[in-house]
Amino acid sequence: MTTTSNPTSIKSIYIDFKAITKAGLAISVVFSSIAGYVLGFDSTHSFDWLVLLKLAIGGYCMVGASNAYNQVIERDLDALMDRTKNRPVASGRMTPGLAVLVASLLTILGVALLYTINPKTAMFGAISIFLYTSIYTPLKTVTSLSVFVGAFPGAIPFMLGWVAATGEFGIEAGTLFLIQFFWQFPHFWAIGWFLYEDYEKAGFFMLPTGKKDRGTSLQIILYTVWLIIASLLPALGYTGQLFITPVAAIFVLCLGLWMLFYGVRLYQIKTAKAARTLMLVSVSYITLLQLVYILDKFLR
């Protein structure tokens, strides 16, 4: 990595590595995978600290690689937006070639680490990079359906942990996938709403109607309802080894209603501030939901 002011600064290398891999996002994604792993291990599939460590590092590498490829592909568009113009490649601090090298090394390391857990975990990790980089990223300037496509790789981390723990993709991992899949829509549409003017500079189509209007906010509410339903499925007894108690279901329902409240509020007042609040609530929601699932497993 290079900087225009001090090419050899370790601090600048560290800062650019965090920026090119979007460390904050990557860590939150790794948390989802760890939550899935903790939910997945049982007497048949025993807990293994080494597997958890490989999942965490491998997961970070996969997310980091996706973000690095994305920043190479979108470097010219990133330079147009206030939110992204200081990213390493867009600002010129890092060459596209070096960024591709970083992304490629992260891809190889991530897939290799996940493969040592089991081949299915590596396969899903590789699929997430491919979908995010090769389909979602190019579609962002073409159609708002890019959010739908992006929801697939975005929904993988939670279920990836379960697959890492069990080596299987069944109804349990599918349910975890479904929860994080529906969560993507209100979360990213809220971001698309309060950053609408910035996205418009680069020609990104993020909102389902293309506008900050009643139709978009209605769809946010609709997908939040689907999210609530999906999050309560483990309480019904049809999701195999993944289940939650009625007490946990009440907490999960309250979390869903909390997020729905802010979705309805956005529908009512339609402001950037309301959209930003919904985005922040959605981040808290998915973290708290995963914690409720985990606590319920150990306290039931």
Side-chain angles (χ1 to χ4, degrees):
M1 271 163 263
T2 61
T3 65
T4 54
S5 58
N6 186 359
T8 59
S9 166
I10 293 177
K11 183 179 179 181
S12 69
I13 292 173
Y14 172 69
I15 291 173
D16 279 351
F17 181 78
K18 283 176 57 181
I20 196 76
T21 59
K22 297 177 72 173
L25 171 64
I27 290 172
S28 70
V29 171
V30 168
F31 177 82
S32 290
S33 294
I34 291 174
Y37 179 82
V38 172
L39 290 173
F41 83 85
D42 54 21
S43 57
T44 305
H45 310 95
S46 59
F47 182 87
D48 188 327
W49 281 107
L50 181 58
V51 170
L52 188 65
L53 181 63
K54 289 190 287 189
L55 176 66
I57 297 174
Y60 187 98
C61 289
M62 304 305 274
V63 179
S66 297
N67 290 325
Y69 284 127
N70 172 274
Q71 291 184 37
V72 172
I73 296 169
E74 294 183 344
R75 59 187 184 279
D76 294 333
L77 299 177
D78 281 348
L80 302 175
M81 297 186 290
D82 294 334
R83 184 179 64 91
T84 54
K85 64 185 180 184
N86 289 320
R87 285 176 173 173
V89 183
S91 66
R93 297 197 310 276
M94 185 186 297
T95 66
L98 180 55
V100 169
L101 176 63
V102 171
S104 300
L105 292 175
L106 288 173
T107 301
I108 294 170
L109 178 60
V111 171
L113 281 172
L114 296 182
Y115 188 83
T116 62
I117 298 174
N118 60 59
K120 286 182 182 174
T121 304
M123 178 189 71
F124 283 118
I127 288 174
S128 71
I129 288 184
F130 173 76
L131 289 176
Y132 189 89
T133 303
S134 302
I135 301 181
Y136 164 69
T137 297
L139 280 179
K140 286 169 67 179
T141 55
V142 177
T143 172
S144 60
L145 287 175
S146 62
V147 173
F148 173 77
V149 174
F152 285 90
I156 286 177
F158 199 12
M159 71 88 167
L160 191 71
W162 186 284
V163 175
T166 66
E168 299 170 359
F169 180 83
I171 186 67
E172 299 90 349
T175 303
L176 297 179
F177 178 90
L178 196 65
I179 293 168
Q180 207 158 25
F181 179 79
F182 283 123
W183 173 82
Q184 306 282 317
F185 295 92
H187 175 72
F188 280 103
W189 284 336
I191 294 174
W193 188 299
F194 76 82
L195 291 176
Y196 183 85
E197 285 74 17
D198 214 21
Y199 278 132
E200 198 173 36
K201 296 174 186 173
F204 286 146
F205 301 94
M206 303 301 289
L207 300 181
T209 67
K211 302 174 183 176
K212 299 184 290 183
D213 60 6
R214 183 171 176 268
T216 289
S217 54
L218 272 177
Q219 292 203 49
I220 286 175
I221 291 172
L222 177 64
Y223 277 89
T224 303
V225 171
W226 283 116
L227 170 63
I228 293 171
I229 294 172
S231 68
L232 292 172
L233 289 178
L236 302 180
Y238 297 106
T239 51
Q241 297 303 310
L242 175 69
F243 60 94
I244 58 175
T245 63
V247 173
I250 292 172
F251 279 104
V252 170
L253 176 60
C254 289
L255 286 173
L257 294 176
W258 176 49
M259 185 166 159
L260 182 62
F261 169 82
Y262 285 98
V264 172
R265 184 166 176 76
L266 177 61
Y267 171 80
Q268 292 173 326
I269 63 177
K270 299 179 181 62
T271 64
K273 183 179 180 181
R276 184 178 179 82
T277 301
L278 174 61
M279 183 277 291
L280 294 173
V281 168
S282 71
V283 172
S284 299
Y285 166 85
I286 197 68
T287 303
L288 291 172
L289 177 138
Q290 290 164 347
L291 288 174
V292 169
Y293 273 36
I294 291 172
L295 289 173
D296 183 64
K297 173 176 178 175
F298 293 103
L299 297 178
R300 68 175 62 130

